[in-house]
Amino acid sequence: MTNDESTTKRDQAIRGAVDDRLRRTDGIHEERIGVAVSHGTVTVSGQLGDYVSRAVVTDTARRTNGVLAVVDDLVVHPASYVSTITETDTARRVSEAIQKITARGGAVSAGLRGTTVTLTGHVGEARQLIDLREAVAAVDGVKFVINTVDVTVPPPPNVPEVRIREGMARHGALDAEDVHVAVTGTDVTLTGRVSSWAERDQAATTAWSLPHVTRVINRITVSSWYPIPTD
């Protein structure tokens, strides 16, 4: 098999995998989305009704095994569908989403202007920052989230590096030997090389999952080589 034939076979396998993941993603109509693959780079195109769906589509493609890069040619046409959601409805749902996250600690307020929500205040855990953004972004009527919330609970002086590496070792899809961890206070820096974006994201998720981590700097690179998919 020539190199061109191998590349074509890999690209076809990646395209099938992306299509399958989009088909199984709630709220996404995969028949409206075009997927093209060239040398591991995926281009997604088509029209969607909101920016949240756009982010879901590109993130789903990026997390598919073998994908090296994603080109976003999607177009959002909010006016293409009729919405009866008022700004008052949106504000109420944003408030409910915030309350679920701050039940674990913290005080957060939201300002709504059009379709943009600005979050201010403080929480007790770094993980809550991610949860806040995801919960508010998922509210109907919200298209942009500006998150200025701080983590205010003083953490211990150091995060144990060994616990991060143990967490990576427990994850079967991640080769912890190829990921290097450096800890400075409560900042975690990840370096090394993995074979997919999914592994890169899993390494960061493992670091974020530890208590007292306030910052994760992900400098892991994705290798341009990966195994040829088999039939």
Side-chain angles (χ1 to χ4, degrees):
M1 182 180 297
T2 65
N3 288 337
D4 288 343
E5 291 173 337
S6 298
T7 299
T8 299
K9 186 174 182 180
R10 283 196 295 266
D11 287 345
Q12 290 173 346
I14 291 171
R15 179 180 178 182
V18 172
D19 283 336
D20 183 62
R21 292 194 69 173
L22 290 174
R23 190 177 302 112
R24 291 184 285 109
T25 301
D26 293 338
I28 299 299
H29 301 284
E30 79 284 350
E31 68 273 8
R32 301 178 185 175
I33 301 169
V35 178
V37 184
S38 178
H39 298 276
T41 296
V42 175
T43 300
V44 287
S45 58
Q47 297 185 0
L48 297 170
D50 58 78
Y51 289 91
V52 173
S53 297
R54 181 181 191 176
V56 170
V57 169
T58 55
D59 190 56
T60 298
R62 186 170 61 86
R63 290 174 179 270
T64 302
N65 190 39
V67 173
L68 300 180
V70 175
V71 178
D72 180 359
D73 280 344
L74 295 166
V75 178
V76 177
H77 289 301
S80 64
Y81 63 92
V82 177
S83 175
T84 59
I85 299 174
T86 66
E87 193 166 295
T88 300
D89 292 330
T90 301
R92 175 178 56 80
R93 293 172 184 174
V94 167
S95 177
E96 291 172 351
I98 291 173
Q99 288 175 9
K100 292 180 180 179
I101 307 301
T102 54
R104 289 145 46 190
V108 176
S109 59
L112 177 63
R113 184 172 184 177
T115 58
T116 299
V117 174
T118 301
L119 302 175
T120 57
H122 64 87
V123 291
E125 301 174 1
R127 179 68 205 182
Q128 288 175 276
L129 297 178
I130 300 174
D131 293 343
L132 272 172
R133 184 176 185 87
E134 291 179 349
V136 173
V139 173
D140 288 340
V142 175
K143 293 184 173 62
F144 303 98
V145 178
I146 302 172
N147 193 351
T148 63
V149 176
D150 295 322
V151 179
T152 59
V153 175
N158 286 295
V159 175
E161 177 181 327
V162 65
R163 291 186 60 188
I164 299 175
R165 297 198 63 81
E166 288 174 350
M168 293 178 183
R170 285 194 298 269
H171 196 278
L174 181 63
D175 189 351
E177 295 300 320
D178 294 333
V179 178
H180 309 292
V181 181
V183 178
T184 304
T186 58
D187 290 356
V188 177
T189 301
L190 303 175
T191 56
R193 184 180 294 273
V194 293
S195 60
S196 69
W197 282 99
E199 287 183 309
R200 184 180 190 272
D201 290 343
Q202 181 58 46
T205 299
T206 301
W208 272 118
S209 67
L210 284 179
H212 313 308
V213 172
T214 59
R215 186 184 184 200
V216 175
I217 305 168
N218 195 346
R219 293 175 178 165
I220 298 173
T221 58
V222 178
S223 174
S224 60
W225 179 92
Y226 47 88
I228 298 175
T230 57
D231 294 332

